[in-house]
């Protein structure tokens, strides 16, 4: 379940945050995630509420009674995007690029000349989502599981297709936008996008358990295993995989503690200048539920929340919070049995934010 889609439907969910970690609230969260693991919606779950200790449920590996590690590492998929967007906005604040400037001003000939930097971050560029044309399904994934992809190859998959719509006229979630954003960061900074994220975000915030793995297939540190079905539907341990196909759109690994630290700093305005902070959460009529790297939603109780989710083979992540300090981060390791955690996500949001 993509958090962006859930937010769009005002039923947010994946990584979330909360204002108070009172025992009753922690108990309610524990009950909900226990229901999710018991029903087969997940093999293991860890959730962090308002920066407090992680609440855990389920097991770290099929066929084992080993619990999900406390503050274990996991693949965060598209939760990579808010970190990349933050770097781009920092560069804008330093006058090194313009949000409304065409991408080709910095990367001549790379994409349609009408596409702006803002449209990349807001998913309004019209660029075809390259992952829609990759064999990421159970039958095809084994053929690319350990393959190394260059970002130019990922972009070529997209640009071989026509634009989904005229730039700026509609909204469509496209991983291609953040591959281009990563290339833009590299052009402006003169260093790999991973180094830019490390120097500008990870080191200042001391996110010591967050890594950009590049082509490494390992998940470092204590971690739960992730599973994905093969062509026959049998769960396969896919913890080890080459995440280069996600690159700046989804390669990162982190922990609930590090994501909590990042989201807290981001929403508190500690990473961006005031002008770029306002741009971060600015929505439009074309993109009413997504700012520049963050999904935006008003829950039925009236609380406005900001966040992102991510999915990659074997793992699901959700990161959600409010500028007032409520927040929740959640990592889910998939049991690969087809069960959906959607109702549990909605219950979590209700208990945490409403």
């Amino acid at each position: 379940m993509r958090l962006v889609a859930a937010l769009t439907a005002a039923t947010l969910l994946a990584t979330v945050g909360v204002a108070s970690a009172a025992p009753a609230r922690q108990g309610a969260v524990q009950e909900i995630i226990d229901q999710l693991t018991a029903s087969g919606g997940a093999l293991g779950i860890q959730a962090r509420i308002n920066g407090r200790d992680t609440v855990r449920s389920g097991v770290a590996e099929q066929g084992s009674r080993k619990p999900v590690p406390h503050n274990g590492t996991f693949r965060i998929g598209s939760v990579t995007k808010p970190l990349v967007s933050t770097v781009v906005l920092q560069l804008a604040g330093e006058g090194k690029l313009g949000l409304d400037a065409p991408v080709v001003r910095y990367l001549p000939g790379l994409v349609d000349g009408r596409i702006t930097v803002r449209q990349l971050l807001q998913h309004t560029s019209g660029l075809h989502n390259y992952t829609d044309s990759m064999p990421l399904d159970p039958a095809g994934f084994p053929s690319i599981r350990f393959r190394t992809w260059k970002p130019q190859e990922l972009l070529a998959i997209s640009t071989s297709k026509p634009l989904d719509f005229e730039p700026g006229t509609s909204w469509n979630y496209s991983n291609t936008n953040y591959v281009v954003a990563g290339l833009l960061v590299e052009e402006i900074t003169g260093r790999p996008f991973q180094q830019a994220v490390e120097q500008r975000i990870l080191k200042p915030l001391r996110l010591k358990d967050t890594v950009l793995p590049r082509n490494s297939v390992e998940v470092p540190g204590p971690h739960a295993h992730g599973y994905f079905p093969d062509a026959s539907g049998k769960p396969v341990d896919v913890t080890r995989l080459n995440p280069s196909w996600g690159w700046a759109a989804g390669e990162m690994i982190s922990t609930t503690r590090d994501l909590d630290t990042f989201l807290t700093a981001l929403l508190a305005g500690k990473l961006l200048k005031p002008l770029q902070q306002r741009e971060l959460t600015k929505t439009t009529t074309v993109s009413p539920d997504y700012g520049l790297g963050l999904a935006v939603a008003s829950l039925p109780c009236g609380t406005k929340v900001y966040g992102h989710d991510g999915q990659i083979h074997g793992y699901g992540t959700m990161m959600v919070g409010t500028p007032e300090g409520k927040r929740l981060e959640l990592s889910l390791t998939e049991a690969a049995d087809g069960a959906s955690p959607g109702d549990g996500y909605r219950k979590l949001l209700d208990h945490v934010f409403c």
Side-chain angles (χ1 to χ4, degrees):
M1 181 179 184
R2 176 170 290 153
L3 176 57
V4 172
L7 280 173
T8 300
T11 57
L12 179 55
L13 219 48
T15 332
V16 189
V18 58
S20 170
R25 182 164 290 176
Q26 276 195 333
V29 171
Q30 184 71 64
E31 181 179 352
I32 293 169
I33 66 174
D34 283 346
Q35 291 173 353
L36 281 171
T37 54
S39 67
L43 179 67
I45 296 175
Q46 55 176 315
R48 179 173 293 267
I49 306 170
N50 199 37
R52 303 297 180 90
D53 289 343
T54 300
V55 181
R56 299 172 289 166
S57 183
V59 296
E61 189 172 358
Q62 284 192 347
S64 169
R65 294 184 178 181
K66 185 179 179 180
V68 175
H70 175 75
N71 198 49
T73 53
F74 49 88
R75 299 188 187 279
I76 67 173
S78 286
V79 179
T80 299
K81 290 180 174 70
L83 286 92
V84 173
S85 177
T86 297
V87 172
V88 174
L89 287 166
Q90 288 176 342
L91 294 172
E94 295 163 10
K96 296 177 180 177
L97 59 79
L99 289 178
D100 294 307
V103 173
V104 294
R105 176 179 298 176
Y106 314 103
L107 295 166
L110 190 71
V111 293
D112 187 294
R114 297 168 294 174
I115 295 173
T116 67
V117 176
R118 181 188 301 275
Q119 289 166 356
L120 296 177
L121 302 184
Q122 201 153 36
H123 294 295
T124 57
S125 71
L127 286 167
H128 172 75
N129 183 12
Y130 71 89
T131 55
D132 288 345
S133 300
M134 293 183 73
L136 300 177
D137 59 299
F141 180 61
S143 69
I144 65 164
R145 178 177 168 185
F146 297 109
R147 175 177 168 177
T148 295
W149 294 82
K150 295 181 179 180
Q152 292 81 4
E153 293 178 292
L154 304 176
L155 179 60
I157 294 174
S158 172
T159 55
S160 68
K161 310 282 186 179
L163 293 176
D164 290 341
F165 49 81
E166 295 295 298
T169 64
S170 188
W171 186 92
N172 184 45
Y173 190 88
S174 174
N175 289 304
T176 308
N177 290 312
Y178 279 76
V179 169
V180 178
L183 291 170
L184 184 63
V185 168
E186 295 193 336
E187 177 66 23
I188 299 298
T189 65
R191 62 177 63 183
F193 98 88
Q194 294 96 338
Q195 288 185 16
V197 172
E198 290 162 357
Q199 293 295 324
R200 289 172 170 269
I201 300 176
L202 304 192
K203 289 186 177 180
L205 295 181
R206 298 181 180 178
L207 306 184
K208 297 180 180 180
D209 296 317
T210 299
V211 298
L212 292 104
R214 298 163 172 84
N215 300 324
S216 172
V217 303
E218 307 295 338
V219 176
H223 59 274
H225 288 235
Y227 296 82
F228 190 70
D230 63 14
S232 68
K234 179 183 177 181
V236 174
D237 188 333
V238 293
T239 307
R240 298 178 73 252
L241 59 82
N242 187 327
S244 60
W245 63 267
W247 204 58
E251 76 165 38
M252 293 181 69
I253 294 170
S254 190
T255 64
T256 56
R257 181 169 57 199
D258 276 8
L259 291 181
D260 181 82
T261 299
F262 166 69
L263 186 63
T264 300
L266 181 63
L267 294 182
K270 295 181 179 180
L271 294 175
L272 299 173
K273 294 180 179 179
L275 176 59
Q276 284 69 44
Q277 187 71 21
R278 291 192 293 271
E279 298 287 357
L280 174 70
T281 56
K282 183 184 294 184
T283 59
T284 68
T285 55
V286 171
S287 178
D289 305 305
Y290 200 92
L292 302 187
L294 282 183
V296 181
S298 294
L299 301 179
C301 62
T303 299
K304 181 171 283 190
V305 293
Y306 305 87
H308 216 286
D309 76 338
Q311 288 192 338
I312 191 169
H313 297 81
Y315 296 88
T317 301
M318 182 168 54
M319 175 181 73
V320 181
T322 70
E324 295 75 29
K326 296 182 181 181
R327 58 198 188 275
L328 168 73
E329 291 76 37
L330 178 145
S331 169
L332 174 154
T333 49
E334 299 178 7
D337 63 358
S340 172
D343 288 343
Y345 282 162
R346 286 185 283 273
K347 289 179 181 178
L348 277 174
L349 288 175
D350 181 61
H351 279 287
V352 170
F353 294 100
C354 297

